[in-house]
Amino acid sequence: MSLLITNIAHGWTGGAAGTRFSGAIRIEGQKIAAIGDLAPLPGEEVIDASGCVVTPGLVNTHHHLFQSVMKGVPAGMNVPLDDWLAHVPYRLWPLLDEHTFRISARIGLAELALSGATTVCDHHYIFSSQYDYDPAAVLFEEAARLGLRFVLARGGMTRGRSFTDPDMPPAPMETLTGFLDGISRAASLWHDPSDMAMTRVACAPATPNFNFDAQALPEIAREARRLGLRLHAHLSENEAYARQTLRDFGLRPVPWLAQKDWLGEDVWFAHLVDLSPYEVSLLAETGTAMAHCPQANARLGSGIAPAAALHAAGGTVSLAVDGAGANEAAGMGMAMYTAFALHRAAHGVEALRPQTVLHWATQGGARTLGLGGTGLLAPGMAADITLFDLGSPACFGLHDPALAPMICGPLQVRHSLVAGRPVVQDGRLPGLSLPDLGLAAAEATARLARRKEAIPA
Ligand SMILES: [Zn+2]
C-alpha cells in the first residue's frame, strides 16, 4: 500500500541549505519512497497538497506538559524566573492528580500536533512518591493516542531549590539511586534506540547546577551512556544561573559540565541564554545541541539565546516551546515566528533566514534527539510530513508563499503524517473533541485553583 502527496508547489526538505522541491512524495509503509514528478499508481491513496506548503513534521525538543494547566497563573505573570518557579511549578506540582495531569498532557500535545509537530520531547522532572501514578506512562499513552513520536527526557532531582517562602511545598526529590533506577526502568519500558523510534527515553536531571551534587554528574553521564541514552538538562537559562555556577564552582556552566563528561553529540541543553563566545565554540566543537526556547525566554525576561551564533559556528540548534506555564503560546508555528523576529530585532536583518528557522524546527530537532531517520524529506527517511494551509488572510498577497510557515505566524495545518500514518486530517485530530478537551481543561484549572486555596499560604 502506498500513498502519494501530489500537487506540491511549495516544498522544503528541511536541510540546512534550505533546499526546495515540488511535485509529489510517494510513501511506502513508514518511509518516503520517492520525491519528484510522480503520477498516482492504480488504486493509490492520494493527498492533494494544492494550496499548501509541505515541510518535514516539526520537532519540539523541550517541553513540560504538566504545565499546560498552569498557564497565566497571576502570581507568576510578571516576575522573573526564580519567582515564577516558586509561584507556578514548585507551588502547584503536589496538586496534580492523574486525571489533571493527563488533561494537561493532552492539551499540550493537541496544541503541538495542530501546529505541525510530529515529534515531541517532554522533559518531565516530577517523580514523587506522593503520586499514585506513573507520569511517564501517562505521557507515552497520550502521545500514542495522537500518533506522535515521543521522547521522554526522564528528569528528576536529588536536591530542591531554596526558595525564600517557608510555606513552599517540598520539592519532588529522589535519592540518586532512585533517580538512576527510574531512568533504567523507563528505558527498559520505552527506549527504542533506532533512528526512527516512535518512543525514546533520555536521561535528564532537571538543572545540574541546582538539583544534583556536582560529584554525581559524571556517574549520571556514565550510567546514561551505558544504557545508550542521550543526556539532557536545563542550562544557563539566564544570567543568574551562569553567575551562580561561576561563584560555586569557579567556572561558567559549559566548561564546568565539560569537566563532568557532560558535553558531546549525545547531549542537548534547554535555553543556553547566557553564553560566552568561548562557551558557544565549545558547544559547537563537541556537537552539544541547543533546545532554543525563544518564547519562554522572552516571557520570563531571561534574554535571547545566541542560537544564530551557535548555528554559524557549525553547532546543532533545535527549536522548543518549553512548558506552557512560562510560554502560553506553546505551538511550533509561533515558536518559529518568534525566533525569526527576535534574532533579527536584536542582531539585524542578516541574523537569521526563514529557511534556517525551519531547519532548526525540523532536521535540527531530529539530530538533537538522535532521531536521524526523521526531520528531512528525502527517499528512505521517515514519512513525517506536515502540510501547512495557505488559505488564511495572513498568507494572501505573498510573493513567495513557501515562506509562509516561518514569516506569517501560526498557520492552519491541513494534514500531517507520522511514519506515514495520519495525525492531523483536514485540520482536525481524529478521535479528539476539542470542545470536550476545553471543558476538561476548565474543570482541571478550577480544581487546581480550589486545591491551592485550600492550602494555607
Ligand atoms: Zn524547561
Side-chain angles (χ1 to χ4, degrees):
M1 282 295 287
S2 65
L3 168 67
L4 194 71
I5 303 176
T6 189
N7 294 324
I8 301 172
H10 313 290
W12 295 100
T13 65
T19 307
R20 301 177 182 218
F21 70 94
S22 58
I25 303 175
R26 173 159 290 126
I27 296 157
E28 289 176 357
Q30 301 185 9
K31 296 184 190 175
I32 295 170
I35 298 180
D37 191 11
L38 307 167
L41 300 170
E44 192 171 47
E45 189 185 342
V46 172
I47 292 176
D48 184 354
S50 301
C52 289
V53 179
V54 179
T55 73
L58 306 184
V59 180
N60 174 34
T61 59
H62 180 81
H63 206 344
H64 309 290
L65 287 163
F66 78 91
Q67 294 176 10
S68 300
V69 289
M70 301 178 184
K71 298 178 188 174
V73 173
M77 268 315 297
N78 302 306
V79 293
L81 176 62
D82 275 21
D83 293 332
W84 173 85
L85 282 168
H87 285 297
V88 184
Y90 280 81
R91 172 74 66 185
L92 297 178
W93 76 264
L95 313 180
L96 283 174
D97 59 32
E98 179 173 354
H99 178 69
T100 308
F101 178 66
R102 186 178 290 282
I103 294 301
S104 192
R106 195 173 295 169
I107 294 167
L109 291 166
E111 181 179 13
L112 281 165
L114 288 169
S115 73
T118 52
T119 298
V120 176
C121 171
D122 195 59
H123 186 188
H124 189 78
Y125 52 81
I126 296 170
F127 289 89
S128 168
S129 55
Q130 273 181 249
Y131 285 169
D132 60 0
Y133 60 98
D134 179 1
V138 173
L139 291 167
F140 278 106
E141 283 164 18
E142 289 299 319
R145 180 187 156 121
L146 293 183
L148 296 166
R149 279 186 211 279
F150 189 75
V151 178
L152 171 70
R154 202 285 189 186
M157 57 187 83
T158 60
R159 284 202 320 224
R161 297 284 295 266
S162 51
F163 294 111
T164 48
D165 182 350
D167 295 321
M168 280 294 289
M173 290 182 290
E174 298 176 288
T175 61
L176 181 59
T177 306
F179 169 73
L180 292 174
D181 286 351
I183 299 278
S184 174
R185 180 176 171 275
S188 71
L189 289 170
W190 295 294
H191 184 64
D192 173 356
S194 78
D195 68 357
M196 293 185 193
M198 286 301 294
T199 62
R200 268 283 181 96
V201 174
C203 171
T207 304
N209 45 335
F210 289 116
N211 298 125
F212 283 80
D213 291 331
Q215 60 268 29
L217 296 173
E219 183 186 345
I220 292 169
R222 210 165 39 243
E223 181 61 9
R225 288 179 174 128
R226 189 183 69 76
L227 294 167
L229 307 183
R230 299 172 93 76
L231 291 161
H232 178 52
H234 293 105
L235 201 72
S236 299
E237 184 163 351
N238 62 15
E239 189 270 339
Y241 272 51
R243 184 160 25 90
Q244 182 263 358
T245 313
L246 189 59
R247 187 193 66 216
D248 291 357
F249 305 110
L251 287 169
R252 289 183 57 86
V254 177
W256 176 63
L257 282 182
Q259 287 191 342
K260 310 289 180 198
D261 299 326
W262 257 83
L263 299 185
E265 289 181 355
D266 59 349
V267 185
W268 85 104
F269 295 115
H271 303 303
L272 296 170
V273 171
D274 194 90
L275 293 179
S276 69
Y278 172 63
E279 288 180 297
V280 171
S281 65
L282 201 50
L283 293 167
E285 275 167 28
T286 56
T288 310
M290 171 191 283
H292 180 31
C293 307
Q295 294 185 164
N297 300 150
R299 154 78 157 77
L300 290 169
S302 300
I304 303 171
L310 180 60
H311 176 84
T316 302
V317 177
S318 64
L319 207 56
V321 299
D322 204 5
N327 171 27
E328 283 75 7
M332 289 299 285
M334 192 67 139
M336 284 201 293
Y337 182 76
T338 304
F340 168 73
L342 280 183
H343 287 275
R344 290 162 75 115
H347 304 295
V349 76
E350 301 281 333
L352 189 57
R353 296 188 316 155
Q355 37 279 70
T356 303
V357 176
L358 182 68
H359 171 65
W360 292 353
T362 54
Q363 194 182 24
R367 282 187 179 153
T368 295
L369 299 176
L371 294 168
T374 75
L376 186 76
L377 298 186
M381 300 294 286
D384 292 10
I385 303 170
T386 296
L387 279 67
F388 290 99
D389 202 313
L390 292 166
S392 65
C395 306
F396 298 166
L398 278 172
H399 288 237
D400 184 357
L403 296 177
M406 298 81 92
I407 67 170
C408 292
L411 299 189
Q412 175 89 15
V413 170
R414 191 188 294 174
H415 298 295
S416 72
L417 302 171
V418 173
R421 293 184 289 266
V423 172
V424 177
Q425 283 182 295
D426 291 318
R428 296 176 55 253
L429 294 166
L432 184 78
S433 159
L434 288 184
D436 288 353
L437 184 58
L439 285 175
E443 286 166 13
T445 48
R447 206 159 44 236
L448 268 188
R450 271 198 311 276
R451 287 181 191 158
K452 188 171 168 226
E453 269 173 26
I455 297 171

